[in-house]
Amino acid sequence: MDEREQEIVRRAVGGDLAALKWLLERYAGMFAAIALATCQNRRLARTAARVAMVKTGVEIRKFAKEKEDFARWLARLIRHESERFIAQHRDEVPPSSLAIAQDELRQTIQSAGSPEKVNPEKLNELVLNVVLALPKEERELLLLRYIYIGSYTEIGRIYGWDRYKVDERLAAARRKLWDALEAFSIGAEATKSNQAEKKQQNKQE
């Protein structure tokens, strides 16, 4: 966290609503990713994220007593509030199953003839369902990395990891996703895409 953000956090802790608004916008991606990883349902995750934002406004004054990075503190709060929210709405969400998500993807691809012939938005939705059926740490990491935040540095702040540990954990999460998608001729393309991405990442960082 740079000096500017430290000052904004300090002001928000002191009750500055403009500073709080800036932080909520700054970390909107984290709210979305963690809520979705926890709820495994897009509609409920949107509401859970909003609930967590409201709770942040209430709880942020307590951060002054903490000695950890603000991003890590905030991530823990989002998880806690999302878990509480989904526990109250569990009956609205069918159990998440990797087998069911894979079967839906398989049937869609078979009907179309190949992954390339499936509507891209539909294909992305079905692949996301597979991601949401992975174990919680893996799906949270993948959502943070590829949909909502992206930066290894930001992800490291959330978990208290250095860049090398982020890379190691992401590699393990990607392997699980590739294994789940390999039968649909999607995993191999994802591997090629990731190799190109890692080369670019190494140039930038």
Side-chain angles (χ1 to χ4, degrees):
M1 182 165 58
D2 59 28
E3 292 183 4
R4 176 172 178 262
E5 187 171 326
Q6 287 178 344
E7 173 59 19
I8 292 172
V9 169
R10 186 191 66 75
R11 285 164 42 201
V13 169
D16 186 325
L17 294 181
L20 175 62
K21 181 176 182 291
W22 187 93
L23 288 171
L24 294 178
E25 292 174 351
R26 160 79 169 82
Y27 289 100
M30 187 199 299
F31 279 94
I34 294 177
L36 182 54
T38 303
C39 296
Q40 296 174 274
N41 176 280
R42 276 154 282 192
R43 178 179 60 84
L44 292 176
R46 286 192 291 270
T47 304
R50 288 194 292 269
V51 169
M53 285 183 174
V54 172
K55 190 68 172 180
T56 300
V58 174
E59 297 289 322
I60 195 167
R61 294 187 182 187
K62 297 180 181 180
F63 178 70
K65 301 177 183 179
E66 303 289 341
K67 298 186 182 298
E68 62 184 341
D69 188 284
F70 178 73
R72 194 172 187 185
W73 175 86
L74 184 59
R76 192 173 67 248
L77 182 149
I78 299 166
R79 288 190 199 99
H80 178 70
E81 291 305 313
S82 297
E83 287 165 0
R84 287 184 58 189
F85 179 82
I86 197 61
Q88 297 169 358
H89 298 271
R90 183 62 66 186
D91 58 336
E92 300 177 37
V93 184
S96 180
S97 163
L98 181 57
I100 292 174
Q102 288 175 307
D103 191 51
E104 290 177 345
L105 181 58
R106 180 182 298 107
Q107 290 181 19
T108 301
I109 291 174
Q110 287 176 346
S111 297
S114 71
E116 293 76 17
K117 294 180 181 179
V118 179
N119 178 283
E121 289 186 7
K122 180 64 175 178
L123 185 62
N124 287 341
E125 178 185 345
L126 292 171
V127 171
L128 179 58
N129 288 342
V130 174
V131 172
L132 294 178
L134 295 174
K136 186 168 187 301
E137 179 179 298
E138 282 81 4
R139 64 179 182 259
E140 185 176 290
L141 270 170
L142 291 168
L143 289 169
L144 285 167
R145 172 62 176 146
Y146 294 106
I147 299 180
Y148 293 106
I149 292 182
S151 165
Y152 275 41
T153 300
E154 290 293 293
I155 293 172
R157 288 181 59 204
I158 291 170
Y159 295 103
W161 299 340
D162 61 26
R163 187 190 185 285
Y164 301 101
K165 189 167 184 179
V166 173
D167 193 29
E168 176 186 323
R169 293 297 184 89
L170 271 169
R174 283 192 296 262
R175 281 194 296 271
K176 287 193 176 182
L177 178 60
W178 298 338
D179 288 344
L181 297 177
E182 187 175 13
F184 311 108
S185 301
I186 297 175
E189 292 304 315
T191 303
K192 293 176 184 177
S193 174
N194 178 66
Q195 289 172 344
E197 175 203 6
K198 285 196 72 173
K199 289 180 180 178
Q200 184 63 28
Q201 182 76 25
N202 290 333
K203 289 179 182 178
Q204 294 175 350
E205 300 191 28

